[in-house]
Amino acid sequence: MIPALGLLVGLTIGLLLDPAVPVWLQPYLPIAVIAALDAVFGAVRAVLDGIFNDKVFVVSFLSNVIVAAFIVFLGDQLGVGSQLSTGVVVVLGVRIFSNVASIRRHLFKA
């Protein structure tokens, strides 16, 4: 209940303040969002499996975002940023869809 409330408060604040993303951060934001979504869907799956741990969630959330942003930064420095960004999106996308499939199986018993 508290995480959902925090999400609603965060979304409301974001919509009201309409923050501007600095230009230097714009290439990393989509990857960070996908990495964060991976952690969130993993947390939902863990809750349904009965193995959720809030410390593991926080560490997973932060490390996913940092590692994904670092991979994109490294790709930019090497001149292959778009290729590494695509790789990160594919890997995290597979994980997200795997977690969503598991959540669906839990919810619909299928």
Side-chain angles (χ1 to χ4, degrees), residues 44-107:
V44 172
R45 179 181 181 180
V47 167
L48 293 173
D49 288 341
I51 58 170
F52 178 78
N53 182 317
D54 56 344
K55 292 175 185 165
V56 171
F57 170 69
V58 171
V59 169
S60 173
F61 186 91
L62 293 175
S63 64
N64 276 5
V65 170
I66 291 169
V67 168
F70 177 73
I71 290 171
V72 174
F73 171 77
L74 185 61
D76 285 345
Q77 298 304 308
L78 295 172
V80 293
S82 62
Q83 289 90 341
L84 282 180
S85 294
T86 302
V88 170
V89 169
V90 168
V91 169
L92 292 176
V94 167
R95 289 173 42 110
I96 288 170
F97 282 107
S98 173
N99 284 329
V100 169
S102 178
I103 292 166
R104 186 182 63 244
R105 284 191 294 274
H106 273 284
L107 294 178

